[in-house]
Structure formats: structure tokens, C-alpha cells
Amino acid sequence: MNEFSVIGKRIAMVDAAGKTTGAGKYTDDLSVPGMLVGKILHSPYPHARIKRIATSRAAKLDGVVAVVTGKDARNPYGILPVGHDEHALALDKVRYVGDNVACVAAVSETIAEKALELIDVEYELLPGYFDPEESMKAQTDLIHDNKPHNIEKDYHHVFGDPDKALAEADCVMEGRFIANEVTHAAMEPHSTLAAFEIDSQTGKPGRLTVWSSTQVPYYLQHKLSLVLEMPMAQIRVIKPLVGGGFGGKSEVIPLEIIAAIAARAARAPVKITYTREEVFWAHRGRPRTIIDLKTGVKKDGTITAVKARVVQDGGGYCSYGVVTILYSGALLGALYDIPNIGYDGYRVLTNKPACGAMRGHGTVNVRFAFESQLDEIALKLNLDPAEIRRRNLLKPPCVTVNNLRVQSYGLPECIEQVVERSKWRERKGKLSRGRGLGIACSHYVSGAANSIIRSDMPHSTVNIKIDRDGGVVVYTGTSEIGQGSDTMTAQVAAEVLGCSLGRVKIVAADTDLTPIDIGSYSSRVTFMAGNATLRAAEEVKKQIALAAARKMDCAPEELVFRDDLIVRGDDFGKGFAGEGARATQSCLHIMFIDEAKIRVKAGDGGNGCMAFRREKYVPRGGPSGGDGGHGWLLCSATGSAWRQAQRRGGRSISSVFLRSAGCRSERGRGDRRSHSSQSLGSARLRARVEPCFCRRSDHRLRLDGHGPGAHRRNGLERWNADESRHARIP
């Protein structure tokens, strides 16, 4: 029973049908009644002060509903807490060709584009900075007045004694490497649809719903709240299908906020979709990087020291830059055993589109330089390039010289497999002219120690609901962007609960429905959200196993969950004898009572939830008679939820629920059987399970349908002596 039943099997991705048939909806496919088209006026200059903006002619054009500028949303924002230097629409100056100046919302794209031509902007041109090393020399006309020498951030780290180690090295190699800018070129351009509900009481715009092509719905919700000065509870962000992200949609892009600003001004839904040219202006790709690298080694190829000076061209705004330049140095020493490291990193502002995160955020360019230099050293020392890498491997678990903890490390096996399968020894240096065989290694971290939004909240949270017929609904805030996170989540839940993949439904990336997840970036989703799913599913499984074990007169540990069945381990694989035999089998009906749900947020950060109803529940599906049945509830709730429930129900509902769960009734306190799992993976479980079953001697419980023998009376009124601890629900 060690073999997985779902994980590791060849399956279709859970969203494959929608994507392959065209039925799936991307943001630009969406339309709502009264929707307007938004178009943005971009700066034609790389660096200039805005002296005047006149929008009256554009506003008077027939078909134009609203024209907005920077004064309509003055609050700055940025993806990092230390980098709030952007405005959705420029206020005082523009900082690159393509910077956002104004937006028109009109009834058609043609009218909106014509209106842009009627907006009159007066600019005062300023000197432009396009080379990062030249930009660092700037004294006046700075890109941002609070950033001397146009330096966004610089780091200077020394670990060990790199100067001494280089002086004592048998071989020192030095060189300059330049990696130019790269953009993501996702198939789907950025697109956002924003719509306000009109408040029935005030007649003014109320709740905001935003559909956007994003990797980070929660961060988008947070930045919309800052810029629009609205409570986050009044903002709903929904991620439709995403046609590729690669990091380019892992921060808030200007059109995502501009669409909401325009929708508020127009009092109508507004959708903005970038052209391909606008995607390049928005950018957020991998920065141009200049790397000066010096590496010292012993005669046998053992690395003794590395010094690196890295200059990144960050463009006109901070974006992820503070992190990007940090990662370039911090991860330099996390792949090989390097005892002495010196790092000087500079993130420099220039008058170009802002750079951000892109696959292997912050590490790719420096790794290219380091691996190239390692090959040069191997050639000089007459060492095999694969062998020099083997001689510098870490020995996990370990902590690197710059205090990075390495727990898993598959590089030795990776190198071994590459050498073997590529026939390295037979082919290296022996291919025809113009063809070659090389080796290089890279790595990345899974997630980050801190959330971008500073708080103690979990990085990933997963809620699991079990439906009446044994269906499983997993609520997760993770963003499926083509990398397969929804499929991974479904596989983990199905594997733990022993059910088929078809039983699992994923509800993801909707801030009104799903718990917080900080987003799909930094190779974190499978590790963090996967572990959250695993732990939530294990808690649900534990609840089901306790119920099944009482029915089957065995210990919960003896039960096996597999192929939509719950059986004793020694009974698994025997199968059913046919429909006649099947009719006499015991059943487990896993049920979620979803009428009159009350959800609350507990003061300690935990999620509380309670579900209740006044109607009586009677199991159906089999002949009357039999040897009796019973039903019970397990609830997870906070004290405030109980009090709200009492007010709604007008009676002591908390007492009913606590007794039905087999706990002492103490009004105002939650069920002591509630479970919450919180860790780095941060599973936070809200499970409400109501097994309804009848007693039979067989040891198989099915996850679908009701079994025979359940009473058809209007209430749960017959109890066996050993079940008297459960309160009747009158």
C-alpha cells in the first residue's frame, strides 16, 4: 500500500478541457453589461516634468464617459513596502517612454483612441539616463529626488575573508560579464476588468470587483485598497485563466489600478487590455546586469573565495529591485561550498521601463557569469568541467557561510545523471565543428522567509469542505498560471483522502471565497500550498477515520482510504460480490451543512466558521427498519460565531452543537474538537463533517450515497446506549 494512487500517474490537468476547447475564459474574454473600453495615454518622453494636462476636449467627445489623470488617485504604491514610488497615472513627471499619463473610458476602442489624441500635455524635458554605470554618477535632475545618484539600493556583504583567500589561492580568474534585458513575452497580454456595485443606500459606487490576469490576487487587492482608499473587505479580486506569467504578473501592473480608477469615475465597468507594445512598456522583466567576478581556487579545483560586483539596470521605478539585487548576491553561495564571499550590489534607476521578477528572480545572470568562469578555471587547470563542480558540492543538511539553510540538495545526483545520459565522457570535445556539449548548474529557493506584506499571517492557507455525497472542495488562494498548481492541489487532496480525482473540485484565487495565499512566484506554491493542502486533508481524514472506526469496531489506524472506499487494511482488495451484496454494505456519507453559514475572523488570526440550520435532517436512500442510525456534527468556530448563531436562531444553538459533537456545553466557547493546522505551509482547516450511517457488520464504507437501514422518521430520535453522549437535535 505504499504506491500512490493519484500522484505520479499520467493525468490531464484539471483545467485542460477549458483551455483546449476554448471554453475557458481569460480576462479579455470577459464582458459585463454596460462595460466601457479603457485606453491609456503614454508618455512620448523618457524623462520630463508634467507642466499641464488639459482633458476637456477629450471629455467632450461623443462616446467618452470619463477621463482620469494622476490627480484622481494620488496615493503611491509599489510591490515592496520600501518601494512605494509609483503612481497609477503620473503626477509630477514621467520617467520612461510609455509611462502612464491619462486614461479614457469610452463606449468603443475607436472613440477612446481618438479621445487620447485630444488630450493636451505640456512637458518640460529633463536629461535622460540610460546606462546604469553613467546613471550612478548623476548629481542633479535625479529620476527620484529621494534617491541620490539614482541608486535604488546597494548592498555590501563580506563573509569570511575573501581578500586573504584570493591572495592565497593557487589560481585566480577574473572577468566582466554582461547579460542584457529580457522580457517575459507571455502569450496573454495584461488585461483587467473593474466594476463597482452601486450602493443601494447612497447611490454611490460601493463594492469593487476586479478580474485580472495576475499571479498575486491578494497583493492586488491590498494595493487597490491603498490607492483607492477603500477597505480591503470592499474589494474582490478574481483571477480568471492566465495565459502565462513567468514573473511578469507577480506584481501590480499600472493598468490593474487604472481600470479601477476609470470605473469609479465613469460609474460603469471598464476593461483595459494592453497591446503588445504596451506589454513591453509595462515590462517588469529581467534587468540588464553587469557582473565583475573574481574567483580563487586551489590546484585541485576547490573554490576558496569569490568576489562579485553587480550593477543592475532597474528602469524608472523600484518594482522588485531591492529583492532582485539582494538575491543576486545572497544566492551566489548557496549552490557550492564557498567559504569566503564578498559582494557589492547596486540596483540603479534609469529612464527605461521598470524591471522586475522573471524566472529565477535575481539569480540567472549571476549564475551565468559564475558557471562561465568556473568552466574557464577548469580549462586552465586541465580539469573536467563536471568534475570541478563535484569537488565543490555542499554536504546537507548544512548552513552556508552567509547563513542560508540547505535541507535538500539533489545536485550530486543531478550531475551524475547528466554525465551518464549525455554520454559526457564519450562526446565532450568530440562533436563536429559548430556543435558542443557543456554543463552548468543553477538553483533557487522555495518561497521567502517574509511575506511582501509584513505580518504574521500564514503564507498559504487551504480550506477543505466535504460535500453531502463525498465530493471534496478545496479552497485555495493560489494562482494557477499554467504551472499546474490547481492540478497539484487536487492530486494531494485526492491522494490523502483516498478518492478519485474526479471527486475533487478546486476553488482558487477569488479573494471573496478563498483564504489568503501570497501568490504564485518564487517557486513556492507546491512547497507551501502543497503542504497546506496535505495537512488540511490529513485533518479531514482524521475526522472521517474516527467516525468510520466507531462504526467498524476498529482503531482508526487500521483503516485504509483508497479508490473511494474506506476499509480495514486486511480487507482491501477483496471487492464487492455484486449489486445484491452491495445493497447490504455499510455506507459513510460525508456531509457539509451549508445552510446559514456564518464565517468570522478570530482575533488571534485564526479562521472561525459555523454552519447551522433549523430544519431536521433525515438520512434517505434505504428501506426503513434496520438497527438504527444517528447523525452528528463536528464544527470549528469562534465564540463570536456561536453568539451570532444564537442571535440568528433565537435559541441556544451553541448548546445543541456542542452536545452533538460530544463536548461539554459552554455557551460562548468554540468546539474543542475543532482543528487548526498552522506552520510554514500554513494549513488552516475549517472542517465540518456530518457522517450519517447505519450499523452493519461489514467493514467497508463507501464515500457515496446513503446506506439502508436509516430511519425515515422526522428527526434523529433513537440512540444506542453507547451513543447517549450525543444530544438529540429536536
Side-chain angles (χ1 to χ4, degrees):
M1 291 305 300
N2 293 326
E3 183 183 354
F4 291 129
S5 61
V6 179
I7 292 174
K9 308 301 181 184
R10 294 180 64 87
I11 60 170
M13 293 177 69
V14 296
D15 58 357
K19 289 181 175 178
T20 55
T21 64
K25 299 296 184 183
Y26 296 82
T27 304
D28 195 45
D29 296 323
L30 304 177
S31 180
V32 296
M35 186 179 76
L36 304 174
V37 176
K39 298 298 289 185
I40 299 170
L41 179 68
H42 300 279
S43 168
Y45 304 111
H47 197 196
R49 297 190 198 282
I50 298 174
K51 303 287 287 185
R52 180 179 61 88
I53 301 178
T55 62
S56 57
R57 287 199 302 154
K60 292 175 182 178
L61 183 66
D62 190 30
V64 171
V65 180
V67 181
V68 293
T69 63
K71 64 181 177 58
D72 294 292
R74 294 180 175 275
N75 291 347
Y77 73 95
I79 190 62
L80 301 177
V82 296
H84 284 204
D85 61 352
E86 295 190 59
H87 292 88
L89 295 165
L91 270 177
D92 57 345
K93 67 158 66 175
V94 291
R95 294 174 170 88
Y96 64 93
V97 172
D99 209 347
N100 308 282
V101 177
C103 177
V104 171
V107 296
S108 72
E109 184 175 356
T110 301
I111 292 174
E113 289 177 340
K114 186 176 180 179
L116 293 182
E117 298 173 1
L118 299 177
I119 299 175
D120 183 24
V121 185
E122 181 183 346
Y123 295 99
E124 177 190 335
L125 300 187
L126 298 170
Y129 302 97
F130 306 105
D131 178 83
E133 291 186 301
E134 289 300 315
S135 185
M136 293 170 67
K137 302 173 184 177
Q139 300 287 338
T140 60
D141 295 316
L142 300 174
I143 297 173
H144 292 274
D145 292 338
N146 64 337
K147 297 295 180 181
H149 304 291
N150 289 330
I151 296 175
E152 176 66 46
K153 181 67 177 178
D154 59 312
Y155 293 99
H156 306 280
H157 296 160
V158 176
F159 302 97
D161 192 340
D163 289 329
K164 180 182 178 182
L166 286 169
E168 296 174 351
D170 297 321
C171 173
V172 175
M173 191 70 70
E174 190 171 1
R176 167 168 278 210
F177 301 83
I178 298 176
N180 281 317
E181 211 160 315
V182 182
T183 197
H184 314 82
M187 291 181 67
E188 178 204 25
H190 301 270
S191 183
T192 298
L193 168 59
F196 280 87
E197 299 174 10
I198 300 301
D199 190 303
S200 300
Q201 307 303 317
T202 65
K204 297 179 181 179
R207 282 181 57 83
L208 168 65
T209 300
V210 172
W211 295 263
S212 192
S213 175
T214 179
Q215 298 174 226
V216 286
Y218 173 69
Y219 288 158
L220 175 55
Q221 181 192 35
H222 184 266
K223 303 311 175 187
L224 285 165
S225 173
L226 289 178
V227 176
L228 300 177
E229 297 181 335
M230 292 176 60
M232 289 179 66
Q234 292 293 306
I235 300 171
R236 180 183 188 184
V237 175
I238 301 171
K239 180 206 69 68
L241 292 180
V242 172
F246 316 114
K249 298 169 183 175
S250 66
E251 64 178 287
V252 178
I253 303 300
L255 92 163
E256 295 179 293
I257 296 180
I258 295 171
I261 298 168
R264 181 167 65 180
R267 300 170 72 93
V270 174
K271 181 167 70 177
I272 303 176
T273 300
Y274 277 159
T275 64
R276 184 57 62 181
E277 184 178 28
E278 287 177 306
V279 171
F280 279 99
W281 284 337
H283 193 35
R284 313 295 159 141
R286 187 175 295 141
R288 182 172 185 262
T289 307
I290 302 167
I291 306 113
D292 292 307
L293 188 66
K294 182 186 290 187
T295 304
V297 298
K298 297 178 181 178
K299 292 179 181 179
D300 63 358
T302 302
I303 300 171
T304 59
V306 172
K307 289 190 73 174
R309 180 182 184 270
V310 177
V311 177
Q312 289 179 352
D313 182 344
Y317 294 99
C318 176
S319 180
Y320 273 109
V322 174
V323 175
T324 312
I325 190 65
L326 173 66
Y327 280 6
S328 292
L331 298 182
L332 182 64
L335 188 60
Y336 301 116
D337 187 5
I338 305 174
N340 302 283
I341 296 175
Y343 175 69
D344 296 296
Y346 301 87
R347 177 74 170 204
V348 183
L349 296 162
T350 60
N351 291 117
K352 293 189 280 189
C355 295
M358 180 177 174
R359 302 298 305 272
H361 180 200
T363 65
V364 174
N365 292 339
V366 175
R367 279 255 67 80
F368 150 72
F370 188 88
E371 294 295 311
S372 299
Q373 192 163 91
L374 203 56
D375 275 357
E376 294 173 353
I377 292 171
L379 181 64
K380 186 174 182 179
L381 296 178
N382 197 28
L383 292 173
D384 182 89
E387 181 58 32
I388 196 172
R389 288 166 171 83
R390 282 197 182 106
R391 294 183 184 184
N392 289 284
L393 295 172
L394 293 169
K395 297 177 176 58
C398 62
V399 176
T400 66
V401 67
N402 58 333
N403 206 35
L404 294 177
R405 181 166 53 95
V406 180
Q407 294 292 99
S408 60
Y409 187 70
L411 188 58
E413 295 84 356
C414 182
I415 294 175
E416 181 181 345
Q417 289 293 319
V418 166
V419 168
E420 178 184 339
R421 297 189 185 192
S422 68
K423 298 182 179 178
W424 174 266
R425 297 178 182 86
E426 295 85 355
R427 298 171 62 213
K428 172 67 175 172
K430 301 175 184 178
L431 300 180
S432 59
R433 182 177 176 82
R435 296 173 61 84
L437 188 64
I439 187 171
C441 302
S442 190
H443 67 306
Y444 204 69
V445 294
S446 291
N450 296 306
S451 167
I452 289 172
I453 299 173
R454 297 292 183 256
S455 73
D456 293 328
M457 72 178 185
H459 291 197
S460 287
T461 305
V462 167
N463 294 340
I464 293 181
K465 181 187 80 169
I466 307 298
D467 284 323
R468 299 171 185 271
D469 62 351
V472 179
V473 184
V474 182
Y475 296 89
T476 173
T478 58
S479 293
E480 169 65 69
I481 57 171
Q483 85 282 35
S485 63
D486 283 359
T487 302
M488 175 277 298
T489 300
Q491 286 180 287
V492 171
E495 190 68 60
V496 173
L497 296 173
C499 64
S500 55
L501 201 60
R503 285 190 179 275
V504 182
K505 177 182 178 181
I506 304 297
V507 178
D510 180 334
T511 59
D512 261 16
L513 302 179
T514 57
I516 289 174
D517 184 278
I518 62 175
S520 292
Y521 62 90
S522 195
S523 303
R524 57 168 298 278
V525 174
T526 298
F527 175 55
M528 292 187 175
N531 271 303
T533 305
L534 175 67
R535 294 173 186 182
E538 286 174 342
E539 291 292 339
V540 172
K541 180 179 179 180
K542 189 184 302 182
Q543 297 285 350
I544 297 170
L546 288 171
R550 285 198 294 270
K551 169 66 182 74
M552 299 164 71
D553 297 323
C554 66
E557 295 77 18
E558 297 180 53
L559 298 177
V560 174
F561 288 60
R562 187 87 166 202
D563 299 334
D564 292 334
L565 297 172
I566 303 174
V567 301
R568 280 187 175 178
D570 53 4
D571 286 343
F572 187 81
K574 294 181 180 178
F576 288 103
E579 291 302 319
R582 186 184 301 235
T584 65
Q585 305 304 317
S586 302
C587 302
L588 180 64
H589 180 210
I590 307 167
M591 174 182 176
F592 176 69
I593 296 185
D594 55 7
E595 292 86 346
K597 288 186 291 187
I598 293 180
R599 294 174 183 265
V600 300
K601 180 83 71 172
D604 61 358
N607 286 331
C609 182
M610 175 181 171
F612 73 94
R613 64 178 183 181
R614 298 294 299 276
E615 297 83 17
K616 301 167 184 176
Y617 176 72
V618 183
R620 301 289 186 186
S624 59
D627 55 3
H630 73 270
W632 46 272
L633 288 167
L634 291 176
C635 293
S636 151
T638 62
S640 60
W642 297 120
R643 291 189 287 276
Q644 291 181 53
Q646 289 178 303
R647 289 195 291 270
R648 288 282 298 274
R651 56 176 302 191
S652 181
I653 293 173
S654 61
S655 297
V656 171
F657 274 69
L658 285 170
R659 288 204 305 267
S660 67
C663 297
R664 186 175 73 245
S665 172
E666 292 187 44
R667 190 173 305 181
R669 295 184 61 184
D671 182 358
R672 293 194 311 234
R673 281 180 153 183
S674 66
H675 287 271
S676 176
S677 177
Q678 218 175 308
S679 66
L680 184 62
S682 304
R684 214 183 251 172
L685 172 68
R686 292 203 305 265
R688 281 77 58 195
V689 186
E690 181 177 332
C692 297
F693 50 82
C694 56
R695 292 195 171 273
R696 291 288 176 188
S697 58
D698 191 82
H699 298 299
R700 298 175 186 272
L701 302 180
R702 293 191 63 81
L703 287 176
D704 53 353
H706 294 285
H711 287 289
R712 290 190 174 185
R713 302 178 61 186
N714 291 327
L716 307 175
E717 298 184 1
R718 290 190 58 186
W719 305 84
N720 296 329
D722 62 339
E723 294 159 352
S724 60
R725 66 183 182 279
H726 295 293
R728 286 168 42 185
I729 304 178

